[in-house]
Amino acid sequence: MSGAWGGFTLLKRLRSGSRKNATYAAFREVGRVIRTVQLLRYLSEAPLRRRVTAATNKVESFNRFSQWIDFGNRGVIADNGPIEQEKAMKFNALLTNVVIFHNALDIAEIVRQLLEEGWEIDPEALAHISPYLTEHINRFGEYNTHELGIQPEAYDPKPDVDFTPLREQDLTPAGLGQAA
């Protein structure tokens, strides 16, 4: 047995769920070893802990922002149908990403204006700006639709800020210690 059929046979054996299955027990033990090694690395390496914490904080910020966007019915999906539930979740994800994109466009425009006025923008300070802003959003107010027919200007994604020094710093051992 080789290739896909060998993998299929292995998965079929593992799927049987028998804890007496030697292959199942071997993979379980390998998984435990890998988990233990990763836990020891996490405990012994401060830069790794800072990177994990920074990534976790970003995910939690996104989830809080997404929940804030999903304010209708306190975020509860009232329909029991899996298709309708999936639609509601995808709509929330789409709406969340649209608001994040809009916030990023606003931030980029403000940075451009500041650069035109002669301000010096520090890439490290700019890296700490979050697109999860809510203060300027009025979820319950009036919504004008007269602007829907106006064609927006073409978007220029280049922020005119050189992030190269920041990227190079992150690749050094000293830079990894400052990741969080």
Side-chain angles (χ1 to χ4, degrees), residues 7-146:
F8 177 74
T9 304
L10 176 64
L11 289 175
K12 188 175 177 184
R13 281 187 140 180
L14 292 176
R15 193 177 62 212
S16 69
S18 171
R19 298 201 184 267
K20 293 180 182 178
N21 181 322
T23 308
Y24 175 87
F27 274 114
R28 185 181 63 219
E29 293 306 315
V30 168
R32 288 177 177 169
V33 168
I34 291 170
R35 185 175 60 226
T36 302
V37 168
Q38 292 302 321
L39 182 58
L40 291 172
R41 272 191 64 219
Y42 179 82
L43 293 173
S44 65
E45 297 177 19
L48 177 61
R49 284 195 306 275
R50 282 192 288 273
R51 285 187 11 231
V52 168
T53 300
T56 302
N57 289 342
K58 287 178 185 178
V59 170
E60 289 175 357
S61 294
F62 175 83
N63 288 336
R64 276 192 304 275
F65 185 73
S66 181
Q67 288 172 350
W68 185 85
I69 293 289
D70 194 15
F71 64 92
N73 201 23
R74 294 188 177 119
V76 174
I77 301 174
D79 197 310
N80 287 336
I83 292 173
E84 293 304 314
Q85 289 177 347
E86 184 176 4
K87 282 183 195 175
M89 290 185 303
K90 286 185 176 184
F91 177 73
N92 179 252
L94 176 64
L95 186 59
T96 300
N97 287 323
V98 165
V99 174
I100 289 170
F101 181 68
H102 187 274
N103 286 344
L105 289 177
D106 287 347
I107 291 168
E109 184 59 33
I110 291 168
V111 168
R112 279 194 188 97
Q113 289 173 3
L114 290 172
L115 288 170
E116 287 173 7
E117 292 174 12
W119 288 81
E120 188 174 317
I121 304 294
D122 179 19
E124 191 167 330
L126 194 57
H128 291 284
I129 296 176
S130 170
Y132 306 139
L133 307 171
T134 59
E135 294 81 14
H136 64 291
I137 300 172
N138 183 2
R139 297 183 295 181
F140 306 108
E142 287 185 25
Y143 298 93
N144 296 323
T145 58
H146 71 279

